[in-house]
Amino acid sequence: MWEAPSIEIRMQVDANLSVCALDESELPNGWSPKLPQAFPPYQKPVPTGMLGGILIVYSNQEDSVWHELEFYERSYQAVYSYTMRRIVHLSRWHRTWVPLDLSQANLSADQYRAKCSDFLANGGPASGEKSCAVKARYGRFISAFRTYVSPRDMSMEEFVQVLQAIDRNMLQCIDSFADKKWESQDSEQK
């Protein structure tokens, strides 16, 4: 039976996940990252199989967007989490999600899904702004990124460039986590 990781193990995983986040040079002009936060917070339990997770907020003068990174003990746990957790929206503020074709982006993820939805200003007609979200699985990792595509936020081209930067970082992250043994350290402490 799976046992949740200790706070110490989660903190170690989260610190290492921080290295996988985008830095300012990988973001569109005017965007910058804020310090990553534990996701979920340390006082809350993690989903089954998750060893750690962080939420990074990126902001410009107008808006904030988020990027969530999760790391699981086993690949099948990441597959299950990826499969069960859908990309959702509030129907009051968004139209129906429309799948986004990212085949030209050449992403290396084992699995991914991308969708965009027209944003409805104050619940009224579409504002020309889109909410776009991508959830991707890389082995034991899940990366979820959500942003607005609009003139004040980022263009669709910039959005794809950010996804390609996330993709490169995730491949490096997989390599950097390959020799880590948090699970066995946690088991030895119990």
Side-chain angles (χ1 to χ4, degrees), residues 3 37 56 77 165 177:
E3 288 187 44
Q37 305 168 30
I56 308 112
Q77 293 161 328
F177 272 61

Side-chain angles (χ1 to χ4, degrees), residues 22 26-28 66-67 100-102 105-109 112-116 132-136 138 143-147 149 154-170:
L22 298 175
E26 296 170 303
L27 296 167
W66 58 264
H67 183 203
L100 181 63
D101 180 9
L102 292 175
N106 294 320
L107 300 179
S108 301
Y112 73 86
R113 57 182 167 260
K115 297 180 179 185
C116 289
C132 293
V134 175
K135 183 168 282 192
Y138 296 82
S143 168
F145 181 71
R146 184 182 296 251
T147 190
V149 174
M154 63 179 70
S155 68
M156 186 58 75
E157 182 179 322
E158 290 171 324
F159 173 58
V160 170
Q161 289 170 354
V162 167
L163 295 178
Q164 290 170 327
I166 289 171
D167 193 64
R168 287 188 301 272
N169 285 4
M170 291 309 301

Side-chain angles (χ1 to χ4, degrees), residues 60-111:
N60 66 9
Q61 299 289 10
E62 300 288 329
D63 268 319
S64 295
V65 300
W66 58 264
H67 183 203
E68 183 182 320
L69 293 169
E70 301 171 354
F71 180 65
Y72 289 82
E73 185 175 21
R74 307 263 184 261
S75 290
Y76 74 86
Q77 293 161 328
V79 169
Y80 180 79
S81 180
Y82 172 86
T83 303
M84 297 306 294
R85 292 175 45 216
R86 306 272 181 225
I87 295 175
V88 296
H89 70 285
L90 297 172
S91 60
R92 177 179 175 199
W93 300 105
H94 296 91
R95 289 201 173 141
T96 303
W97 285 110
V98 176
L100 181 63
D101 180 9
L102 292 175
S103 57
Q104 297 299 318
N106 294 320
L107 300 179
S108 301
D110 296 314
Q111 296 174 284

